[in-house]
Amino acid sequence: MKQILMMSSSRKGVSGYLEHAEDQVHAVLKGRAKRVLFVPYAGGITFSFDEYESRVKPSFERFGYELTSIHHHKDARAAVEQAEAVVVGGGNTFVLLDRMYNAGIVGLLRERLNAGMPYVGWSAGANVVCPTIRTTNDMPIVEPPTLKAIGVVPFQVNPHFISGKPSGHNGESREERLAEYLAINPDEGVVAIPEGVALHVHGDSATVLGEFDALHFRQGGAVDKIATGSTFALASI
Amino acid sequence: MKQILMMSSSRKGVSGYLEHAEDQVHAVLKGRAKRVLFVPYAGGITFSFDEYESRVKPSFERFGYELTSIHHHKDARAAVEQAEAVVVGGGNTFVLLDRMYNAGIVGLLRERLNAGMPYVGWSAGANVVCPTIRTTNDMPIVEPPTLKAIGVVPFQVNPHFISGKPSGHNGESREERLAEYLAINPDEGVVAIPEGVALHVHGDSATVLGEFDALHFRQGGAVDKIATGSTFALASI
């Protein structure tokens, strides 16, 4: 049974790194894994993979899990094949997906996640388990071979959801972007998750975790709240 | 000689649609074209091409130019071949580029712009004359065949430039995004243009138009102002 945690972000408001995440992480990993494989590919752009690992490792150790980054392994595919669980951090979604394709682990992750290997991802790490990365907020600083992603969750997620736009600035609001997404992709569904919120996908259902509600963006502009603590069928989106 | 206007946006702050743009548009079109071909492909997602045309047409008529949208022509390529000048409005850059490829006009625009046909574009319409659209701010709501674009300006432009990020929100600031862009693309150059600012490319040089300065983002994190009113060599970026 699938066990996937899609977190909006590594921080909630002004809280510390992964500080809000302990219960959310346990929901997926507790009793299922002791050691986790970290994928730092979304970062390591203006800092190193070692630095990224050293930022994430203490939190996971405090939660009770050993963490090693995939960049220490010579064979990335073998590392994923042998992993008890995989943790994918945020950064740039295009860079993450491009590096995952370069490492040859996209299809392999699809197989292992469908077979029940636990997965924890935040921000870009949440985008890549969707069918495509076409609801990322990131800049396309590299061009991956395709925007199709791991696709083990059957709908799109928009992390770091925030309503409205800065006053006097004329870019689109997030709501406008997602309305355009749905207008041009009429058969798809989008769930937006504010910072601090996560979706815990278990089998064919998902539960909203965190202090705020998730938002189901529907065709035609309606937005339904999915209350925190509630569980919905993946097929309902 | 190339005559290309890259405007940041259709509005500046709370001003009306294209209200700030008259002098900037004249810099490229005056004495060179009386009729312009409008390309509405970046919009027309949650509203129609007709609506988009009717929003833009009165401004250009007020400036003294007749405007007709390409969607009224059965043969988009023929329309571009016969155009005196082309105007490309904002919206979603991925949708714009995808529709330009579908219409078969990307290579044709490259030829005509290199040969001196005047071009006015704002927002997404400024992104597509760069080598790629990889410095757009937009959501990749569709997947174009490639992110390579018209490429008649030899550097990347970031429109709607705004400094910083909303407090308490943990997405990247625009500066961080552009620093990552340069870190992962060490041979490329980026010029950011705040709302209300435009670059007028004429031949091998460009002049900054508008009330504010443009910003040259350089490798290693330095940002140089390019003063409004000043002219720089395209090759200097």
Side-chain angles (χ1 to χ4, degrees), chain B residues 84-118:
Chain B
E84 292 176 34
V86 165
V87 172
V88 181
N92 184 288
T93 312
F94 293 88
V95 175
L96 171 59
L97 187 62
D98 193 46
R99 287 171 170 168
M100 282 182 154
Y101 276 113
N102 286 339
I105 61 173
V106 175
L108 183 58
L109 279 168
R110 186 179 301 130
E111 284 169 31
R112 292 226 52 202
L113 297 187
N114 277 329
M117 177 178 68

Side-chain angles (χ1 to χ4, degrees), chain B residues 124-191:
Chain B
N127 283 121
V128 291
V129 289
C130 298
T132 73
I133 63 165
R134 291 190 284 105
T135 49
T136 178
N137 306 305
D138 296 339
M139 188 173 276
I141 63 175
V142 298
E143 181 170 354
T146 169
L147 302 185
K148 290 192 183 73
I150 301 172
V152 286
V153 173
F155 51 81
Q156 295 293 122
V157 159
N158 179 245
H160 293 282
F161 179 77
I162 186 168
S163 185
K165 55 186 166 185
S167 86
H169 192 68
N170 295 302
E172 297 81 9
S173 71
R174 193 70 63 82
E175 287 91 342
E176 287 165 348
R177 289 170 185 250
L178 295 176
E180 290 192 344
Y181 182 87
L182 289 168
I184 215 156
N185 298 289
D187 299 325
E188 300 188 21
V190 177
V191 175

Side-chain angles (χ1 to χ4, degrees), chain B:
Chain B
M1 169 162 120
K2 283 180 203 168
Q3 285 291 348
I4 297 168
L5 183 70
M6 309 168 84
M7 296 165 59
S8 176
S9 53
S10 58
R11 294 169 191 268
K12 182 189 70 171
V14 296
S15 70
Y17 199 77
L18 292 171
E19 209 175 82
H20 70 289
E22 181 160 2
D23 290 347
Q24 298 179 1
V25 168
H26 284 321
V28 171
L29 295 185
K30 205 168 194 171
R32 297 195 184 93
K34 290 189 170 174
R35 288 171 201 81
V36 301
L37 180 71
F38 179 59
V39 177
Y41 293 163
I45 302 169
T46 53
F47 54 91
S48 70
F49 288 151
D50 280 348
E51 279 172 87
Y52 199 176
E53 182 185 29
S54 67
R55 193 183 299 175
V56 174
K57 198 182 180 80
S59 298
F60 276 81
E61 284 182 350
R62 187 158 42 80
F63 303 162
Y65 309 101
E66 273 180 49
L67 180 145
T68 312
S69 175
I70 195 168
H71 76 279
H72 297 303
H73 293 264
K74 279 199 179 159
D75 184 340
R77 284 180 53 86
V80 171
E81 272 163 13
Q82 290 153 22
E84 292 176 34
V86 165
V87 172
V88 181
N92 184 288
T93 312
F94 293 88
V95 175
L96 171 59
L97 187 62
D98 193 46
R99 287 171 170 168
M100 282 182 154
Y101 276 113
N102 286 339
I105 61 173
V106 175
L108 183 58
L109 279 168
R110 186 179 301 130
E111 284 169 31
R112 292 226 52 202
L113 297 187
N114 277 329
M117 177 178 68
Y119 177 98
V120 172
W122 57 90
S123 193
N127 283 121
V128 291
V129 289
C130 298
T132 73
I133 63 165
R134 291 190 284 105
T135 49
T136 178
N137 306 305
D138 296 339
M139 188 173 276
I141 63 175
V142 298
E143 181 170 354
T146 169
L147 302 185
K148 290 192 183 73
I150 301 172
V152 286
V153 173
F155 51 81
Q156 295 293 122
V157 159
N158 179 245
H160 293 282
F161 179 77
I162 186 168
S163 185
K165 55 186 166 185
S167 86
H169 192 68
N170 295 302
E172 297 81 9
S173 71
R174 193 70 63 82
E175 287 91 342
E176 287 165 348
R177 289 170 185 250
L178 295 176
E180 290 192 344
Y181 182 87
L182 289 168
I184 215 156
N185 298 289
D187 299 325
E188 300 188 21
V190 177
V191 175
I193 46 178
E195 293 192 350
V197 173
L199 299 182
H200 172 197
V201 173
H202 41 91
D204 296 329
S205 300
T207 302
V208 181
L209 306 180
E211 234 176 282
F212 307 107
D213 301 330
L215 298 165
H216 178 196
F217 280 74
R218 305 177 72 103
Q219 292 295 331
V223 180
D224 293 345
K225 285 188 183 176
I226 313 178
T228 184
S230 70
T231 295
F232 58 94
L234 300 183
S236 71
I237 301 299

